[in-house]
Amino acid sequence: MVDLSQYLPILLFLGVALVLSSAFVFLPMLVGRLTGAHKPTPEKLSEYECGFPAFEDSRSQFDVRFYLIAILFIVFDLEAAFLYPWAVTVFDLGWVAWISMIVFIAELALGLVYAWKKGALEWE
């Protein structure tokens, strides 16, 4: 039979986390309402990021090139994330680790050449 009292610290931790996260979300809104900071005016509701009204609907679709560049950035960012720990321990891991990383880098280079040939890196 399992002693459920062993789970009490985890339950206590989750309860404290729920109370604190709720307080950080709802307490500033409550204080803003009570102190009078919540008084919407046309100036407060106007555009503030760029200074002028939007040209079109904010739900318009982006060009697919934005997504291609983002995916390529993520791929090569992950490559760097795998390369640093490997470079630190390459001499301890041996030839198998060396060959596997060379294969990994070759696959990424092949993907870069493919994206380059398809024109994913060109911007108009």
Side-chain angles (χ1 to χ4, degrees):
M1 187 124 182
V2 177
D3 185 20
L4 294 179
S5 66
Q6 294 175 352
Y7 292 105
L8 184 63
I10 295 173
L11 185 62
L12 187 65
F13 177 76
L14 288 175
V16 169
L18 182 66
V19 167
L20 282 177
S21 61
S22 298
F24 284 136
V25 170
F26 295 115
L27 198 59
M29 289 190 288
L30 179 68
V31 169
R33 294 265 182 185
L34 294 177
T35 60
H38 181 74
K39 292 180 182 175
T41 62
E43 288 82 19
K44 286 184 180 179
L45 297 175
S46 65
E47 295 82 13
Y48 60 92
E49 288 184 6
C50 58
F52 53 86
F55 293 120
E56 57 189 34
D57 186 22
S58 63
R59 295 181 191 94
S60 64
Q61 292 182 347
F62 283 101
D63 193 4
V64 73
R65 287 175 286 188
F66 288 112
Y67 299 113
L68 289 174
I69 296 296
I71 289 172
L72 288 172
F73 173 75
I74 289 172
V75 165
F76 291 107
D77 190 40
L78 285 176
E79 176 189 8
F82 282 126
L83 262 173
Y84 286 124
W86 172 80
V88 171
T89 61
V90 66
F91 296 116
D92 298 334
L93 297 175
W95 285 104
V96 176
W98 175 263
I99 293 170
S100 65
M101 187 53 74
I102 295 301
V103 169
F104 177 70
I105 292 173
E107 288 175 355
L108 285 174
L110 185 65
L112 177 63
V113 169
Y114 176 77
W116 198 335
K117 292 290 183 186
K118 286 292 185 179
L121 301 175
E122 295 177 8
W123 203 263
E124 294 176 4

